[in-house]
Amino acid sequence: MAEQSRRSNGELTVMVNVDVSDALTGLKAIRREADAAVRALKALEEALKTVPDVYSGSTGGGRMTPEQFVEKMREIFPETGYDEETAYIAADNLVCELLTQLGYGEGAAIYDDADKWYA
């Protein structure tokens, strides 16, 4: 595609003939690639919705962050009066809770149901 333009400046007339077809072809190719990248990102976003979000930091029904897990583990011994058996039971329960939040609930339930000997 050629575009022509004429300019007149006093007595000088200039005619410019520019072929922009290669540039337009290149821009269209870039646009196609950008559209493909957007589609891929949307697909990734949808796929990520199915992955447990362990770093959400939400409270209540949300998942624990690594920092929250550490904090809760550190609180167990003082809260149980440093009674080792009670503390280990509480720690086991916390680990099972975290495993369940991460999607390993069935395995955590098997562990939780197993007989344990703490003392």
Side-chain angles (χ1 to χ4, degrees), residues 6-18:
R6 293 178 188 242
R7 290 188 193 173
S8 179
N9 185 7
E11 293 182 24
L12 178 65
T13 300
V14 177
M15 185 172 135
V16 178
N17 185 0
V18 179

